[in-house]
Amino acid sequence: MDLFLKGDYGDSIQAYDSALAFAKDPYEKASVLCNKAVSYFCMELFRKVVKVCDEAISVLPSLMRPYHLKTEALMRLDKKEEAKLCVQEGIDSAENTSDAPAVLELRQLRYALSRDDNEVTAALESMSTAMETTAIAAAAPLPDSSSAVVVPA
C-alpha cells in the first residue's frame, strides 16, 4: 500500500522529495510538489503547505491546484486577506488554462471569502473533500518506483 494512503505522511514527503529529481517537465514537478503539500496539510503543517505551494506556483503558474491548497492553508492560519489575494492570483493566472472546473471553484471560493465565515467554512470543507477524493482516486507510483503516491494536479 502506498505511503500516503497508509497515512505515513512524513515518509511520503521524503519520497516526493526524491521524486522531484525524476520530474521530467514543469507539470510533473508542480504535481509532485502539490502532493507534498497535501501530505503537509494532512499533518496540519499549514505554513509548510504555503511554502511548497509557492514553489509549485513558481514552477507552473497556470496550474490551479496549488492555489487551492495554499488558499485552504492560509484560511487555516487565519490569514483571510492573504487567502483572498491567493484566489485572485489563481484566477488571474488561469487565463491561459483549460481547467474550467478549477477556475470556477476558485471563483466560488473568492465569492465565499467576500462573504461571512460560514460560507468560507463551507467552501473549505468542499475543497477538502474534493482534495481527499482526488488523492485517493488518482494514486499512482512515483517515477522512481518508491511507494508514495503521485496525484495528478
Side-chain angles (χ1 to χ4, degrees), residues 72-128:
E72 189 163 349
L74 288 167
M75 289 303 299
R76 303 293 169 119
L77 292 168
D78 293 322
K79 296 184 176 188
K80 186 175 179 180
E81 292 307 312
E82 287 182 49
K84 287 180 184 180
L85 292 172
C86 181
V87 168
Q88 189 58 52
E89 182 182 334
I91 292 169
D92 292 345
S93 72
E95 293 178 9
N96 297 321
T97 186
S98 61
D99 193 358
V103 173
L104 177 60
E105 191 170 320
L106 282 173
R107 287 185 177 149
Q108 290 170 336
L109 185 56
R110 178 181 60 188
Y111 176 76
L113 286 168
S114 71
R115 309 289 293 181
D116 65 39
D117 288 339
N118 291 331
E119 290 183 57
V120 173
T121 301
L124 289 176
E125 287 173 1
S126 172
M127 286 173 60
S128 291

Side-chain angles (χ1 to χ4, degrees), residues 1-15:
M1 183 175 244
D2 297 306
L3 294 171
F4 179 86
L5 295 177
K6 288 187 341 188
D8 192 350
Y9 306 121
D11 285 344
S12 69
I13 288 168
Q14 290 177 347

Side-chain angles (χ1 to χ4, degrees), residues 15-146:
Y16 293 134
D17 284 337
S18 297
L20 287 171
F22 296 97
K24 298 174 186 139
D25 56 47
Y27 178 82
E28 192 171 304
K29 183 175 182 181
S31 293
V32 171
L33 288 166
C34 286
N35 294 340
K36 181 178 173 180
V38 171
S39 292
Y40 279 129
F41 193 91
C42 291
M43 296 170 71
E44 298 185 8
L45 298 173
F46 303 121
R47 284 183 176 81
K48 289 189 178 200
V49 173
V50 171
K51 182 180 177 185
V52 173
C53 287
D54 283 340
E55 188 177 349
I57 290 167
S58 72
V59 169
L60 190 62
S62 62
L63 189 64
M64 296 293 97
R65 189 164 179 234
Y67 296 102
H68 289 221
L69 293 168
K70 181 179 176 182
T71 298
E72 189 163 349
L74 288 167
M75 289 303 299
R76 303 293 169 119
L77 292 168
D78 293 322
K79 296 184 176 188
K80 186 175 179 180
E81 292 307 312
E82 287 182 49
K84 287 180 184 180
L85 292 172
C86 181
V87 168
Q88 189 58 52
E89 182 182 334
I91 292 169
D92 292 345
S93 72
E95 293 178 9
N96 297 321
T97 186
S98 61
D99 193 358
V103 173
L104 177 60
E105 191 170 320
L106 282 173
R107 287 185 177 149
Q108 290 170 336
L109 185 56
R110 178 181 60 188
Y111 176 76
L113 286 168
S114 71
R115 309 289 293 181
D116 65 39
D117 288 339
N118 291 331
E119 290 183 57
V120 173
T121 301
L124 289 176
E125 287 173 1
S126 172
M127 286 173 60
S128 291
T129 302
M131 182 171 45
E132 290 168 11
T133 302
T134 301
I136 292 169
L142 290 170
D144 67 349
S145 299
S146 71

